[in-house]
Amino acid sequence: MSNDTVKIFDTTLRDGEQSPGCSMTTSEKLKVAKELVALGVDIIEAGFPIASPGDFDAVRKIATQFGDQTTICGLARCRKEDIDRAWEALKEAKNSRIHVFLATSSIHREHKLKMSKEQIIETAVEMVKRARDYCPDIEFSPEDAARTEKDFLCEVVERAIEAGASTVNIPDTVGYATPAHFHDVITTLKKNVSNIDQAIISTHCHNDLGLAVANSLAAVEAGARQIECTINGLGERAGNCALEEVVMALKTRADYYGVNTNINTKRLYPISHLVSTVTGMAVQRNKAIVGKNAFAHEAGIHQHGVLQERTTYEIMSPEDVGYVGTNLVLGKHSGRHAFRDRVQSLGHTLDDATFERIFNEFITLADKKKEIYDSDIVALIENQVSDAPEKWSIARFHTSAGTGTIATATIELADEDGKIHCDAATGDGPVDAVFRALERITGISAVLEQYHVGSVSSGKDAQGEVRVEVRINGEMFNGRSVSTDIIESSAKAYLQAINKAVGRGEN
């Protein structure tokens, strides 16, 4: 393979958001998009403009704000109204791409589309041309390509390139392929599509068999020069190819693949945690590249080897991916300058107002716990990520619980006008009582689906991080908060989810 660049096409804001419970507000998408630009992704698929007014608005704002820094892409089915709507959202971007797709496999043709091969080709050509009239950068995806007959796939791809597609994306839509199979698909296209040199071959792999990254790498080996992926591997069902994994595989094994990317890998760990915070989807401890255990060594023989020579058991440096451990760094006597320097070294850029809020929280935290770690600072920053409308905020609360007693919670909430509302409830433990009291005051009935507690750093006085996922009126909402008081953190996380539901109802 030649020593050239593989484009990274990030679809966290489109395919990643389609994961159950991972929906984002427009302001949250803008924050993630900003970090994707800093990460160095070549294309951001910002959404599916025709899907909803919210999706359209998000794509339009991302295109307007970041379209001069990277390519902003909108997804469209091979339908006139989809393509027109996508262009309407993208037209303010200096660098824009319309991504059109149409299923090609026999199972999709027969059961979903009710279309013949001839109709598929005719529609694909017509819609690629329509998109090309708006925009010079067009991507075409034959959906479920991995299960499409190879001769027909070659014909569709050739005609799409003829019609004006400059990128042809080969999706393994249902995660059916294996590396050898997928390598063969790409090789077949390169050998049999006469105009394949006029387009970039892309790959979009799902992880149903746990092979999304492996399949994407096999495609690169066969000649693909764009990878579609998501932060933390988010996506429908088992997810997509994980950006951080495939990028670090290409970087670490550059000796074999002979290609590079434009990704600033030191931004991988920060953006992983941002996306986790925004979506409420926790990163598993043993997740490759960005999990808490990714650079931990428990076995004595491993520890000895690392102390003697890091490369004995580490094929990557933690610094290469911007890993944040639990290094002790600051105390309550540290000034603003030292704190700002540490925030910047952790990969975060804050405006003055946000910096002041977080610095004041840092000083308050330093009074509560003796030792402040990098992970504590990151947690304070991530606490500012959510833009859930503050319909309700906690003014005061009190809980009482113990063996042989009934757990109770009394809470005062302030509404948007500052008016205080107070109520109390009993429950099966103090957390349950708090949740019931919040529901009584807000008038929101919720079903708790997930409740997770974990420590941010080490020590008995460590901050506790609480993540909740609740179902309200059939829709999933997540909340997250950190505090040295687990009950307080639980209350704030649950209220954040309720506020999101209230905000969704008002929009």
Side-chain angles (χ1 to χ4, degrees):
M1 290 180 293
S2 60
N3 185 15
D4 55 6
T5 300
V6 172
K7 291 187 176 184
I8 299 300
F9 177 114
D10 182 90
T11 184
T12 303
L13 300 178
R14 200 277 299 171
D15 204 330
E17 199 207 14
Q18 292 175 202
S19 300
C22 289
S23 61
M24 306 178 216
T25 65
T26 297
S27 56
E28 287 170 339
K29 284 187 175 184
L30 284 165
K31 287 183 177 179
V32 173
K34 180 180 179 181
E35 290 304 310
L36 288 171
V37 171
L39 181 65
V41 302
D42 300 282
I43 303 100
I44 298 174
E45 188 166 57
F48 195 174
I50 204 168
S52 70
D55 240 31
F56 176 86
D57 185 52
V59 175
R60 183 179 59 81
K61 286 182 177 177
I62 291 169
T64 302
Q65 192 165 332
F66 303 109
D68 61 340
Q69 300 171 62
T70 191
T71 298
I72 308 301
C73 177
L75 184 68
R77 293 166 296 186
C78 276
R79 296 183 180 182
K80 293 178 181 179
E81 58 270 27
D82 280 40
I83 293 168
D84 295 347
R85 189 69 168 159
W87 177 245
E88 187 65 26
L90 293 168
K91 64 182 182 181
E92 298 300 324
K94 181 179 178 182
N95 305 296
S96 58
R97 173 182 294 187
I98 299 175
H99 179 190
V100 295
F101 72 95
L102 183 63
T104 54
S105 68
S106 59
I107 194 166
H108 278 248
R109 295 196 308 266
E110 180 182 349
H111 298 288
K112 185 177 80 169
L113 299 177
K114 313 291 186 187
M115 293 171 69
S116 67
K117 290 181 178 180
E118 292 73 21
Q119 288 173 314
I120 293 288
I121 291 174
E122 182 182 344
T123 302
V125 167
E126 180 186 357
M127 293 302 108
V128 168
K129 285 182 176 178
R130 186 180 187 89
R132 186 67 175 76
D133 287 340
Y134 285 127
C135 174
D137 189 350
I138 303 302
E139 177 171 329
F140 173 73
S141 288
E143 186 184 4
D144 204 22
R147 293 194 295 175
T148 298
E149 307 92 322
K150 289 181 184 176
D151 57 344
F152 180 55
L153 180 63
C154 288
E155 186 179 1
V156 173
V157 167
E158 185 165 312
R159 294 294 300 278
I161 295 172
E162 231 174 62
S166 50
T167 300
V168 285
N169 179 51
I170 310 304
D172 182 22
T173 304
V174 294
Y176 178 74
T178 61
H181 167 202
F182 209 59
H183 185 284
D184 184 54
V185 171
I186 304 300
T187 301
T188 299
L189 290 170
K190 292 202 71 171
K191 287 181 178 179
N192 296 286
V193 175
S194 63
N195 55 2
I196 197 68
D197 59 331
Q198 297 174 28
I200 292 172
I201 300 176
S202 172
T203 177
H204 179 113
C205 295
H206 279 261
N207 205 40
D208 297 71
L209 293 176
L211 296 172
V213 171
N215 288 336
S216 298
L217 291 171
V220 169
E221 193 173 357
R225 287 299 177 265
Q226 177 179 288
I227 299 173
E228 303 200 357
C229 44
T230 61
I231 302 297
N232 298 335
L234 289 181
E236 290 193 272
R237 303 182 314 279
N240 289 320
C241 171
L243 183 151
E244 61 280 357
E245 294 179 22
V246 76
V247 164
M248 289 309 296
L250 291 175
K251 180 176 181 176
T252 305
R253 294 307 313 275
D255 60 318
Y256 178 76
Y257 291 103
V259 296
N260 56 69
T261 71
N262 292 319
I263 297 299
N264 175 7
T265 62
K266 294 182 185 297
R267 304 291 306 177
L268 289 173
Y269 195 83
I271 196 170
S272 167
H273 280 255
L274 171 66
V275 170
S276 176
T277 300
V278 166
T279 62
M281 186 73 77
V283 176
Q284 67 199 59
R285 293 186 68 93
N286 64 333
K287 169 78 168 63
I289 314 301
V290 291
K292 287 185 178 180
N293 288 0
F295 296 98
H297 300 276
E298 185 73 20
I301 190 171
H302 285 206
Q303 292 173 345
H304 175 72
V306 170
L307 289 173
Q308 297 300 312
E309 168 53 47
R310 181 187 60 80
T311 57
T312 54
Y313 287 103
E314 283 187 3
I315 61 172
M316 297 169 284
S317 163
E319 292 77 21
D320 287 344
V321 299
Y323 174 76
V324 177
T326 56
N327 297 321
L328 180 64
V329 288
L330 297 169
K332 65 180 180 180
H333 299 297
S334 301
R336 281 176 170 77
H337 181 71
F339 185 72
R340 187 182 290 276
D341 281 348
R342 196 61 198 168
V343 167
Q344 290 176 345
S345 71
L346 292 173
H348 296 274
T349 303
L350 307 176
D351 59 63
D352 291 340
T354 303
F355 174 81
E356 282 300 319
R357 286 199 305 272
I358 292 174
F359 179 74
N360 290 332
E361 290 181 9
F362 161 71
I363 295 300
T364 301
L365 179 63
D367 283 332
K368 294 180 180 179
K369 63 193 303 274
K370 294 183 294 183
E371 299 174 337
I372 304 294
Y373 297 88
D374 279 342
S375 48
D376 289 311
I377 297 173
V378 172
L380 292 178
I381 295 170
E382 290 177 346
N383 238 18
Q384 299 288 329
V385 166
S386 176
D387 286 303
E390 287 291 326
K391 170 70 175 177
W392 300 98
S393 60
I394 294 176
R396 292 190 300 172
F397 77 96
H398 173 78
T399 61
S400 176
T403 304
T405 63
I406 298 174
T408 62
T410 304
I411 297 181
E412 287 186 352
L413 293 185
D415 62 22
E416 292 173 302
D417 300 321
K419 183 180 178 181
I420 297 297
H421 303 255
C422 182
D423 210 333
T426 60
D428 184 13
V431 172
D432 184 44
V434 164
F435 291 172
R436 290 172 184 265
L438 289 172
E439 291 180 22
R440 284 172 63 93
I441 297 173
T442 61
I444 299 289
S445 179
V447 177
L448 181 65
E449 297 285 353
Q450 296 285 339
Y451 175 77
H452 175 78
V453 181
S455 63
V456 168
S457 55
S458 58
K460 294 179 181 178
D461 59 356
Q463 289 191 98
E465 177 189 52
V466 173
R467 294 173 184 261
V468 300
E469 191 173 299
V470 301
R471 186 181 301 277
I472 300 173
N473 295 328
E475 191 170 354
M476 299 300 296
F477 298 93
N478 62 71
R480 173 192 175 275
S481 184
V482 295
S483 172
T484 52
D485 182 341
I486 288 298
I487 307 301
E488 179 185 16
S489 189
S490 299
K492 288 183 175 180
Y494 202 75
L495 187 59
Q496 186 183 95
I498 288 176
N499 275 328
K500 286 182 179 181
V502 172
R504 180 67 58 87
E506 292 177 349
N507 287 338

